[in-house]
Amino acid sequence: MERTLIEVAGHAGVCYGVERALRMTRDAAAAAERPVRTLGPLIHNPRVVSELEAAGVGMADELADADTGTVVIRAHGVTPSVIDRARRGGLDVVDATCPYVAKVHRAAERLATEGFQVVVVGESGHPEVEGIVGHAGPGTLVVSDPAELAGAQISRRVGVVVQTTQTDENLAAVVAALVPRATELRVVNTICKATHERQASAAELSARADAMIVIGGRNSGNTRRLVEICAARCARTHHIEDASEIDPEWVARAGLVGVGAGASTPASHIEQVVDALERIVPGAEVSWDRGVGRG
């Protein structure tokens, strides 16, 4: 049997928005003389949240739990009222909202101001979506599937924005369902470039792989979508948060083991998984250009 190849997807791991949020949080912690807390988990990666806690960065589930010091707004963003209340309460605010998420906020506000009913394609209850709805205002509709439009009241003028980690296919399906129901339909495709890149890379690699490992938080929407994409192309797809979860049987007799990672997965976590796979499959060849595709 030929030597096993372990290949990391060309675009995998932390995106710009996550790197920025982590840097801002660590800088705030290094400079602060008072407590620093993130409002909710900074990103959807339990391991990273634990690492931040070990570095002295706490987490407040609600604004009331951060009564003093610095509060960091997580990468997913929040409603405008949250930042206003934090500042009125005397807190120092570090706004680590991903710039691409902030772009969705601006698009939703603009559509609402221009008289469109705003439809957000995304997961109801997701922190990013809640922040978008807060910027869009009353009457905003959140849908994750075209079927959810069946009983909904739809205006004749509809403006669509998208949770940054959604797929093109889901956006297209929702838009197609709206076309016959609106006389004016404006669509702002706010899926971020990093999401496109990671999904495309994962799809290409998993179509060739005998086994696929996807690394990232189980509470991470973008990672779960990578798992779905890979599982549709490679039956032996497994979602893990930590290298210790790998079962050697997953990669037994695999000529090509693919590795993908969500946009909130640090490069160090990918390296740990690759190292573990090399121990499980001695002599395996590794293909990973560490300088490409992680932004």
Side-chain angles (χ1 to χ4, degrees):
M1 182 176 177
E2 293 185 3
R3 187 163 58 165
T4 297
L5 173 63
I6 300 166
E7 182 176 341
V8 179
H11 293 275
V14 287
C15 61
Y16 166 74
V18 168
E19 284 185 322
R20 174 178 176 272
L22 288 168
R23 182 179 67 252
M24 292 173 72
T25 303
R26 289 168 178 150
D27 288 349
E33 296 180 356
R34 299 194 295 167
V36 175
R37 303 179 182 90
T38 63
L39 186 56
L42 182 70
I43 59 174
H44 280 161
N45 187 314
R47 286 188 63 195
V48 171
V49 171
S50 296
E51 289 164 6
L52 287 173
E53 184 178 9
V57 178
M59 185 180 76
D61 291 323
E62 299 178 1
L63 197 55
D65 299 327
D67 55 354
T68 185
T70 298
V71 64
V72 180
I73 304 302
R74 57 186 170 181
H76 295 106
V78 293
T79 63
S81 62
V82 170
I83 295 179
D84 290 341
R85 285 191 286 119
R87 287 177 173 151
R88 287 200 307 269
L91 294 169
D92 295 324
V93 176
V94 174
D95 188 355
T97 302
C98 171
Y100 294 103
V101 173
K103 178 182 176 182
V104 191
H105 293 171
R106 293 191 296 272
E109 288 174 349
R110 184 171 61 252
L111 288 168
T113 299
E114 294 176 1
F116 289 87
Q117 177 189 13
V118 179
V119 173
V120 182
V121 181
E123 301 171 55
S124 181
H126 188 284
E128 179 185 327
V129 173
E130 290 181 346
I132 296 167
V133 171
H135 284 265
T140 301
L141 181 63
V142 178
V143 295
S144 59
D145 185 277
E148 296 172 11
L149 292 167
Q153 286 291 114
I154 302 297
S155 169
R156 302 309 292 171
R157 301 181 74 228
V158 177
V160 178
V161 294
V162 199
Q163 182 181 357
T164 57
T165 56
Q166 286 287 305
T167 63
D168 288 325
E169 292 77 11
N170 203 34
L171 170 60
V174 172
V175 169
L178 285 168
V179 167
R181 300 181 62 179
T183 55
E184 184 177 358
L185 181 61
R186 185 176 299 177
V187 180
V188 185
N189 185 346
T190 49
I191 299 173
C192 78
K193 179 183 177 183
T195 295
H196 278 290
E197 292 173 338
R198 279 150 187 75
Q199 291 175 355
S201 288
E204 188 279 330
L205 177 56
S206 59
R208 296 186 285 111
D210 300 301
M212 192 77 192
I213 306 291
V214 182
I215 316 159
R218 290 187 174 84
N219 59 343
S220 165
N222 79 82
T223 303
R224 290 197 304 270
R225 270 181 282 282
L226 287 183
V227 174
E228 293 168 1
I229 288 167
C230 293
R233 294 161 175 80
C234 177
R236 295 166 67 183
T237 293
H238 302 277
H239 182 184
I240 65 170
E241 291 185 354
D242 186 88
S244 63
E245 299 174 41
I246 299 172
D247 184 338
E249 279 300 310
W250 294 350
V251 298
R253 298 170 298 283
L256 172 58
V257 179
V259 178
S264 52
T265 304
S268 60
H269 294 188
I270 302 175
E271 289 167 357
Q272 290 162 9
V273 168
V274 171
D275 289 346
L277 288 170
E278 287 186 281
R279 289 193 295 272
I280 292 169
V281 190
E285 179 184 351
V286 176
S287 174
W288 181 19
D289 184 349
R290 288 165 173 78
V292 175
R294 297 206 318 266

